[in-house]
């Protein structure tokens, strides 16, 4: 690579604006009133090369202006997505298009047509995030490398022209006690934790250089975070399953490859009762209605681990791991899995009991109890009486052809076609029985299935989650926080002191908080009787 | 304990009110503005700190009484937010010793406390989703971060009042007036709602909602706009002039219209009285300030607030969301608006550090940022439904 040698002897990379060592303006352009100190006038790739397509892409993404535009576009897009709910938050039993049209009228329809109902999952939103990631990398690399070089190679003695063009500058006439004054200033600067270096009677006082790396550190954190967000698409990193489990039921935990089983002992929902709670809550509980505010959702579970290999068709041998109470905010954690309480259904039908009776005399021939989740084919009542279940509809409705059918396997509205066999009718009499309704399918039935009672059970919905990307995201977040605090809560301050014939030149520079550095230096200079620094940009404004 | 807690909040309110006037006095006193804070300013900041201590007392006693951090509903959040806002001001005051900050911060604080008090103030037990230590950690950090970010709004307003040329009409003077009008709208809303609440005003409508169901809607202000196919049930009360479609919440719209009208009257009246723009009338108060210092205060509050906001509203929020809602991020409107706020201030910092946007442009950005914070606090909770709609 080409190199440029400054008259001070320091060799700078091609494209350098200010000599890294002495601060001389390399392009020879001295007309400016103040030097542009951004990135120390170092040679940034984006400012130096602009020929090949790679250069152009690099220059595009390394521009802060482009970066800000990307941020603003993401901001606007994100805001648009909150006008109406995203499709993951709307009821699942209606067609999306219909929901947006019915609930939000014309604008809802437009929202849906433009695909904003799944905005955050759209390809273009993803592209915006990807562009932000690329911009973060290029913009950081374009700046941090030359900046690091320039700060590492910075000289102690700076040119007069460099110093006079600094934003904070002051010039004092040399008096007899100059050396004493300088010693006093230096010791005061050291007290304020400046690191002071000397060269031929000239000084450079510097502090908090590390804060210059803050932006780059936080950008690294963000990149790690963005990558972490995509890691879940790698198989095995991420599990998100849902499990509906009834009281007393044992089920394999989905997503664990049959390794873990869970048994629900009991789901419960508690509400706040006015007379049992702290007196201070009385007003609120009266306002919302006593017993209307939920206090707790909880499933008492036992976690089991399967022993040995799983063999299809065989009951697995289970070893108890632990008992636990899963509540909202208190998931069960085990072996990188977490099981959460997310929803519930109270009083789901579980068993139904019927009595086989004579329609006329109400004489009973026995009772059957049907497990609605696992009904048997036939129930033998003895003495030649038998009930067969010919058809079973757990969640019964009439389909479009007017035929009985079931909407799901959940027994919300069970219906049966029974065949009642008796010594008088060895072929059986058929009857259709649903809740609150009985239809005879054969003529003049003698027997009838009479509903006796039903057993209900609570059902708990648990979400099973494994997310191995969390460590990565946590790392990214932590690095971001460190970087942003490093960059925001400290600032890099430098003060140059140079003797020049009969004058003492002092210049100051900071990457931010000019008001603060001005106060700090002038406080010291005032005490030693030296000329205070003036902010030259303010002077320009006044002129 | 609860009675003590409320009394402490009242005390804080009055102390802030008094210090507003004291800061006014500190501005009027033109002697030695920047050499040393004058006597008025010293008293004013002392009273403010006393106010803050009682405000903190309210917070602690309420926490003790209820057993959970008092940040679980709108009233509690707004009072906590305003407390952090005052804390941010006290910190900035000791860094820069600028009295005028108090003259603008404290009235906004008063407005916020009164706004929050319109919501149910009873201590409420926690629903299962909120029963976590993260409630205290996440919400207080977020409130502190947003409050410090909001301080840049105060600095921005002061900067603009000072720097915008009031001798001729321009876009800038127009937008400054818009800000003044917005502040008055909130004032009008608070005053109007309180008056009618004092009168126990109530109008009940029978209406047809968007699912074609009959429902009742209660207005607490006279109805200007009525609900879809609304039928007035309360006798002897004014009926609405127009009816709005079912997809619009007529009750909320009605309140917004009243606030806007009342604010217009207030604004118009003041304009007639002053015979100049409100911002022109306020300009003399800012005569003695140094622009670059106010600019730096605005920037400093963003620099201090941004990391705290990130920690509270994004990092802690994600940790809690992972525990309570099974996922660290779910595009809930409140989450998205926290992200938007964060992106906005990230853009602010880049514009300032790399594009040299300081001074007036930075001040406008500070104002817009506050708008976003308030939007997230008020509208996202009340209008856009989501997991955070607890209030």
């Amino acid at each position: 690579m080409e190199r440029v040698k400054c008259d001070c002897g320091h060799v700078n990379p091609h494209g350098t604006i200010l000599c890294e060592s002495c601060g001389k303006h390399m392009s020879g352009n001295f007309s400016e009133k103040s030097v542009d100190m951004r990135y120390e006038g170092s040679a940034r790739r984006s400012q130096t090369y602009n020929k090949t397509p790679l250069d152009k892409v690099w220059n595009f993404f390394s521009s802060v202006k482009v970066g800000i535009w990307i941020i603003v576009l993401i901001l606007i897009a994100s805001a648009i997505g909150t006008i109406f709910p995203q499709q993951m938050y709307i009821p699942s039993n209606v067609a999306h298009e219909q929901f947006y049209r019915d609930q939000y009228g014309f604008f809802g329809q437009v929202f849906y047509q433009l695909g904003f109902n799944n905005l955050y999952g759209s390809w273009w939103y993803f592209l915006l995030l990807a562009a932000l990631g690329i911009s973060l990398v290029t913009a950081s690399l374009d700046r941090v490398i030359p900046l690091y070089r320039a700060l590492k190679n910075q000289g102690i003695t700076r040119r007069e022209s460099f110093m006079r063009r600094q934003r904070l500058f002051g010039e004092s006439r040399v008096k007899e006690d100059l050396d004493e004054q300088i010693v006093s200033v230096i010791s005061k600067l050291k007290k304020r934790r400046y690191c002071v270096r000397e060269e031929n009677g000239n000084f450079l006082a510097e502090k908090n250089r590390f804060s210059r790396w803050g932006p780059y550190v936080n950008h690294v954190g963000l990149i790690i975070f963005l990558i972490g967000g995509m890691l879940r698409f790698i198989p095995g990193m991420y599990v998100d399953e849902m499990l509906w489990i009834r009281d007393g039921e044992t089920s394999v935990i989905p997503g664990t490859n049959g390794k873990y089983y869970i048994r629900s002992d009991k789901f419960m929902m508690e509400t706040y009762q006015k007379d049992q709670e702290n007196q201070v809550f009385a007003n609120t509980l009266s306002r919302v209605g006593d017993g209307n505010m939920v206090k707790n959702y909880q499933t008492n579970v036992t976690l089991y681990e399967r022993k040995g290999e799983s063999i299809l068709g065989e009951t697995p041998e289970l070893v108890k791991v632990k008992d636990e109470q899963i509540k909202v905010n208190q998931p069960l954690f085990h072996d990188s899995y977490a099981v959460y309480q997310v929803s519930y259904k109270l009083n789901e039908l579980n068993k139904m009991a019927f009595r086989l009776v004579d329609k006329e005399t109400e004489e009973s021939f026995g009772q059957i109890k049907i497990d609605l989740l696992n009904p048997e084919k036939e129930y033998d009542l003895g003495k030649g009486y038998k009930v067969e279940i010919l058809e079973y509809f757990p969640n019964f409705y009439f389909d479009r052809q007017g035929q009985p059918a079931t909407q799901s396997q959940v027994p919300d509205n069970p219906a049966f076609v029974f065949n009642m066999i008796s010594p008088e009718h060895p072929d059986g009499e058929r009857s259709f029985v649903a809740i609150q309704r009985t239809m005879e399918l054969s003529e003049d039935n003698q027997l009838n299935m009479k509903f006796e009672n039903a057993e209900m059970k609570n059902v708990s919905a648990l979400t099973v989650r494994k997310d191995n990307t969390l460590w990565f995201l946590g790392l990214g977040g932590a690095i971001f926080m460190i970087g942003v605090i490093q960059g925001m809560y400290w600032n890099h301050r430098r003060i140059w002191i140079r003797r020049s014939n009969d004058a003492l030149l002092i210049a100051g520079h900071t990457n931010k908080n000019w008001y603060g550095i001005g106060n700090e230096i002038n406080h010291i200079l005032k005490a030693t009787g030296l000329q205070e620094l003036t902010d030259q940009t303010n002077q320009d404004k006044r002129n | 304990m609860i009675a003590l807690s409320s009394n402490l909040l009242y005390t804080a309110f009055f102390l802030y009110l008094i210090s507003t006037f004291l800061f006014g006095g500190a501005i009027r006193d033109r002697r030695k503005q920047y050499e040393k804070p004058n006597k008025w300013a010293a008293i004013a900041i002392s009273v403010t700190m006393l106010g803050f201590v009682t405000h903190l007392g309210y917070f602690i006693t309420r926490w003790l009484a209820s057993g959970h951090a008092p940040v679980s509903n709108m009233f509690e959040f707004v009072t906590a937010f305003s407390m952090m806002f005052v804390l941010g001001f006290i910190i900035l005051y000791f860094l820069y010793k600028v009295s005028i900050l108090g003259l603008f911060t404290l009235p906004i604080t008063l407005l916020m406390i009164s706004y929050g008090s319109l919501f149910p103030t009873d201590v409420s037990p926690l629903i299962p989703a909120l029963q976590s230590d993260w409630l205290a950690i996440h919400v207080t950090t977020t409130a502190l971060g947003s409050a410090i970010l909001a301080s840049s709004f105060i600095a921005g307003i002061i900067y603009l009042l000072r720097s915008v040329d009031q001798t001729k009409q321009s876009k800038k003077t127009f937008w400054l007036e818009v800000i003044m009008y917005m502040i008055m709208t909130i004032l009008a809303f608070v005053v109007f709602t309180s008056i009618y609440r004092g009168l126990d005003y109530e109008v009940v409508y029978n209406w047809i909602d968007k699912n074609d169901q009959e429902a009742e809607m209660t207005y607490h202000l006279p109805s200007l706009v009525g609900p879809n196919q609304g039928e007035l049930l309360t006798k002897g009360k004014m009926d609405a002039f127009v009816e709005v479609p079912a997809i619009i919440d007529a009750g909320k719209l009605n309140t917004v219209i009243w606030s806007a009208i009342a604010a217009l009257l207030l604004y118009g009246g003041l304009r007639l009285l002053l015979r100049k723009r409100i911002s022109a009338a306020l300009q003399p108060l800012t005569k003695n300030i140094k622009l670059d210092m106010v600019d730096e205060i605005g920037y400093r509050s963003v620099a201090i607030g941004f990391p705290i906001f990130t920690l509270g509203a994004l990092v802690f929020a994600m940790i809690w969301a992972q525990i309570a809602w099974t996922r660290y991020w779910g595009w809930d409107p409140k989450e998205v608006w926290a992200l938007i706020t964060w992106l906005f201030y990230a853009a602010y910092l880049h514009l300032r550090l790399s594009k040299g946007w300081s001074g007036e442009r930075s001040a406008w950005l500070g104002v817009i940022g506050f708008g976003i914070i308030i939007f997230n606090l008020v509208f996202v909770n009340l209008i856009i439904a989501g997991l955070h709609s607890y209030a």
Side-chain angles (χ1 to χ4, degrees), chain B residues 224-225 252-262:
Chain B
L224 293 172
V225 291
K252 282 174 184 165
L253 181 66
N254 191 57
T255 310
V256 170
I257 292 175
W258 269 116
S259 309
I261 293 175

Side-chain angles (χ1 to χ4, degrees), chain A residues 216-258:
Chain A
Y216 311 105
V217 172
N218 81 45
H219 285 178
V220 168
L222 282 179
I223 290 289
I224 294 177
F225 192 90
L226 285 176
I227 293 171
M230 290 188 296
L231 281 183
R232 73 164 55 163
F233 300 109
I234 297 176
M237 292 294 266
Y238 184 76
V239 167
D240 178 14
E241 300 279 351
M242 182 105 164
L243 169 66
W244 285 91
I245 191 163
R246 294 173 181 86
D247 288 0
E249 191 183 2
T250 304
S251 163
V252 62
I253 301 181
T256 64
N257 300 319

Side-chain angles (χ1 to χ4, degrees), chain A residues 403-422:
Chain A
Q403 297 296 316
T406 188
Q407 283 173 317
S408 66
Q409 292 307 307
V410 181
D412 282 336
N413 183 23
F416 309 87
V417 175
F418 289 121
N419 191 25
M420 300 163 289
I421 296 167
S422 58

